[in-house]
Amino acid sequence: MCGIVGYIGKQKAAPLIIEGLKRLEYRGYDSAGVVVLEDGAFNVAKKIGRVANLEGEAARHHFHGTFGMGHTRWATHGGVTDANAHPHVSSDGQIALIHNGVIENYATIKKFLLGRGFTFKSETDTEVLCNLIAYHYAKEPPAAEGDSRFVESVRKALHHAEGTYGIVVMALAVPGELVTARKGSPLILGIGDGESLVASDVAAIVSRTQNVVYLKDGEIAHLRAKDFSITTVASGEAAAHVIDKVNWSIADAELGAYAHFMEKEIFEQPVALENAMRGRFAEDGSTAQFGGLNITANEFRGIERFMFCACGTALHACMVTEHLIERFARMPVECDYASEFRYRNTPLYRNTLFFVKSQSGETIDTLAALREAKRKGYKVLAVVNVVGSTIAREADGGIYQHVGPEVGVASTKAFTSQLLIGAMLALYIGRMRDLSFGDGVQIVNALKGAPDLVRRVLQQAPHIRAIARRYAHYTDMLFLGRLSLFPIALEGALKLKEISYIHAEGYPAAEMKHGPIALVSEKCPSVFLVPNGDIVNKIISSMQEIKARKGPVIAIASESVELPAGLADEVIRIPECHDAVLPIVAAVPVQLLSYYIAVERGCDVDKPRNLAKSVTVE
Ligand code: F6R
């Protein structure tokens, strides 16, 4: 979604801001802009398309000032045009604004402002908010000391704004100061050496400072190069804050020798899994332990059921966790799309423990589901990757994934670490109930072995790439799996369609007869997940049904599965493993297959069309 970067310091602002915007490119956007206050005027450059286009435009603007801000826009109100790109400047020329989010009552405010002589150049809700700030700025009496009317005018405008926002504001009369505020859209202050920054994502500023303050909803910050203050939007009272240290560096968010972030992150998975499990097994070697759940073992024993909510890939991880909790702990679990749960009015039983999973910790639907569950009085725990994110902060407790920044829009290492943490959670809950010490030890050992099994699958990358070359021209594909691999089939289909634009569907293998089999022909290959287990012969029967209808078959099968001759056109082998680890091991070939097919088709893998890394609008 949209990205924000602001800078005040001694360096030339525009190159720093543009560099920051490049680091936010992975979030998805369709235009970009920058403004620098210099020579007593706002120097604004904006351009549709990539940040590279903006860079070209910026060269013509001869930016030299040391104070400014930039934005990447993912269109919501108004089409993708230069005029609609941010920053916006108020029609009286006094205020410049960049904004993530949606101002829902923009039409009413616009009408009010049109009646007071303000004019508009764009179709955006952002320009409306910009003019509203200018309106209040013009009305606000100058303060005796400093220019507090800048902050006050932003605060007053926000009192009338309904919706979500992460904003950064500049005032022509107040060089060297930025005002920034948030409600539902993340903002992080960077506290540098004689310089201050603000961004929607740590990645944009971590090259300049690792000292950050995560702004909270309902807070407004006033930044200068050497100091900052935070107050509440509602009352203007001082708000307490802590300066956190980011625990990763810019090198973690760089491509290195890889062609794409997605490729890098697929290959990082063994290490990501090691990081996600580090220190999280109990000393007796039979269960997991988590530091931040904020729920006592006794409270946990009182829980009678679980509800999991998430979106997209993270929901697929929840579905696998559902399977494993049922299996290891024999407890009922329900999973739902966060976007549905928030409006469904699902009846929840009294002793339900609510979980959300989110890589970014900012997905608005997941956040809304969390808030809805909390409002109903339930305790909500979160599995989150991004430290300090809104979901991490609002949850009652949780588990950090610790896999470092995930830059590729298509989630990979965050997914497998969510699978791992889900398995550890199932083990933890199981061991509190009927799962024996011996079974617990077996699962712990299996999970500890997961990184090496993933390494073995990764060694097959050249083989999978060769298959991808043969299948890249198809326009439809089915992914079929059963039990804990059904969500992996869903994930395979999601990965393929989001990065290669091939229509793909994930289905439980046996369910395929009830509809999707109509799609099967020599033009529609099926990817089957075939682990060795109780129902392997049933899966093989489903493969035969596809083959009988001339559908090409790709089998991702355990090493010990004997496939009838000629049944599969392509075979990718995965190592034998425990059920707790199987979904992790099976996820890797579907990731690689989708990745190589997308590369083969010449797709922009890390920036797929229409998609955003973290979906902060509804
Ligand atoms: C797909 C993908 C998305 C996200 C979804 C939730 O590859 O990445 O489906 O999984 O938008 O995002 P988070 O996990 O950040 O809440």
Side-chain angles (χ1 to χ4, degrees), residues 311-314 357-361 363 366 409-411 494-495 498 615:
C311 299
T313 290
K357 290 194 184 186
S358 174
Q359 186 287 127
S360 61
T363 301
T366 309
V409 165
S411 184
L494 176 63
K495 285 283 92 86
E498 69 181 333
V615 182

Side-chain angles (χ1 to χ4, degrees), residues 236-253:
E237 279 167 39
H241 66 266
V242 282
I243 298 182
D244 282 304
K245 193 130 197 124
V246 177
N247 63 359
W248 52 273
S249 73
I250 200 64
D252 294 314

Side-chain angles (χ1 to χ4, degrees), residues 44 56 89 158 161 185 188 191 195 264 268 271 342 353 366 368 385 415 458 486 516 533 568 580 617:
V44 182
V89 176
L158 292 179
S185 223
I188 296 131
I191 315 305
E195 60 185 28
K264 176 180 182 234
E268 273 174 1
V271 173
R342 62 185 292 190
L353 183 58
T366 309
N385 189 36
F415 177 58
L458 290 171
F486 162 52
V617 294

